[in-house]
Amino acid sequence: MIRSHRDGARQPSYGRGVQTSPGAPWHGILVATALPLRADLGIDHEAYAAHVRFLAEGGCHGVVPNGSLGEYQTLTPQERAAVVQTTVQAAPAGFPVVPGVAAYGALEARRWTEQAAQAGCAAVMLLPPNAYRADEESVMAHYREVAKVGLPIVAYNNPIDTKVDLTPALLARLHGEGLIVAVKEFTGDVRRAYQIAELAPGLDLLCGSDDVALELAVAGAAGWIAGVPNALPSQCAALWHSACAGDLSAAVPAYRRLHPLLRWDSTTEFVQAIKLMMDEAGRYGGPCRPPRGPVPSSAADAIRALVQSIVDGG
């Protein structure tokens, strides 16, 4: 039974304690974690560790550090490795850590995957080459190289940023070779859920765009790699559980309330927007590193008002 209560930071909570994954480590709600930065733009590891524990208590099933929302592109190699270590140390038992291991090339991505394995991570999330418009055979070679490490790989399809589209047919090839176990689908095209199920029936579909979470849950997605739960984990958990249970009488109204915020996950300013949501919800989001600047004031005011209305509504 879903219940909400205040925890002193204006943030309702979906139950207490770790919400163990409903299946494989990449199932359920995995939060692509925002990274708290101090005023000097250094990483606040203490605040980040507290955030990981907060998400575990808030109804989420795991975390994905070092994704785009974690500003991995702006981190030094030492910082990026330290983020993984902090995440693993902060995560309660049964709360999987699935770091992003995206890199310019396969050799670097393989090194990040080896680091994740040494740190005790359950799986990794991997983009295709993110600075080269790779053809299909180059994509296959990229995933083959990283798969040598032996950790389960969640492919990340984000053709908007990478210019490489992991089409349903290409995903079927990757899965058929045993290179990937799931895909984070970020195209926003909900029709792909059915194409993927037809071409690669054993491949787990994970929602990658917050603003199609309901549609992909109904289509049978095994999980949601999500952004907005950084600020509103209990409300997003309630939505996801209702949708997966087929309780549309609860899921649709919740989705309508959240959707103006969920849309920000698919915008250029998604990192700073979600950090602003965290600040307004009583969590610490903080600044972003360049080149990301603040959300424009008119949009920021709208985000604050939306978050406040949802928090006040419980």
Side-chain angles (χ1 to χ4, degrees), residues 5-282:
H5 67 277
R6 303 289 182 178
D7 68 1
R10 299 194 295 117
Q11 179 66 48
S13 178
Y14 181 84
R16 304 304 292 179
V18 179
Q19 308 296 312
T20 55
S21 178
W26 50 89
H27 288 182
I29 301 176
L30 274 68
V31 182
T33 46
L35 188 63
L37 303 176
R38 302 187 302 264
D40 65 0
L41 300 185
I43 299 171
D44 188 334
H45 284 275
E46 183 176 350
Y48 179 62
H51 185 55
V52 171
R53 292 189 291 268
F54 166 74
L55 295 172
E57 293 175 351
C60 302
H61 300 105
V63 285
V64 180
N66 287 341
S68 298
L69 188 50
E71 301 177 71
Y72 81 92
Q73 301 98 329
T74 70
L75 302 181
T76 67
Q78 294 78 12
E79 288 175 324
R80 189 168 171 179
V83 166
V84 172
Q85 292 291 344
T86 296
T87 312
V88 171
Q89 291 167 9
F95 194 69
V97 176
V98 182
V101 293
Y104 287 152
L107 299 180
E108 184 183 358
R110 177 177 173 172
R111 287 193 291 271
W112 285 122
T113 305
E114 290 168 343
Q115 189 255 345
Q118 292 166 2
C121 297
V124 294
M125 183 179 73
L126 177 63
L127 283 165
N130 63 9
Y132 171 66
R133 190 172 296 185
D135 61 19
E136 187 167 307
E137 295 309 315
S138 297
V139 170
M140 294 295 299
H142 181 78
Y143 281 87
R144 287 184 191 120
E145 182 64 35
V146 178
K148 291 176 183 177
V149 178
L151 274 186
I153 296 174
V154 174
Y156 181 6
N157 187 34
N158 185 349
I160 298 167
D161 290 338
T162 65
K163 310 304 180 188
V164 177
D165 190 359
L166 301 180
T167 63
L170 179 50
L171 289 169
R173 282 192 66 190
L174 290 165
H175 184 250
E177 279 199 26
L179 303 177
I180 62 173
V181 295
V183 58
K184 175 185 177 181
E185 236 300 313
F186 190 74
T187 63
D189 184 352
V190 298
R191 295 170 296 185
R192 290 197 176 202
Y194 303 96
Q195 294 174 300
I196 292 168
E198 291 163 10
L199 295 175
L203 181 67
D204 283 335
L205 173 69
L206 308 181
C207 176
S209 306
D210 286 1
D211 55 355
V212 291
L214 175 62
E215 290 83 356
L216 291 189
V218 170
W224 175 15
I225 297 181
V228 171
N230 278 282
L232 301 168
S234 62
Q235 293 89 344
C236 291
L239 164 64
W240 184 251
H241 286 281
S242 297
C244 290
D247 184 3
L248 297 185
S249 64
V252 172
Y255 195 48
R256 288 186 185 277
R257 286 194 300 272
L258 286 166
H259 209 268
L261 293 174
L262 298 178
R263 289 176 213 146
W264 279 98
D265 184 59
S266 299
T267 67
T268 302
E269 302 86 1
F270 75 108
V271 178
Q272 49 269 60
I274 289 172
K275 283 190 165 185
L276 178 60
M277 293 177 204
M278 293 167 66
D279 288 332
E280 186 61 27

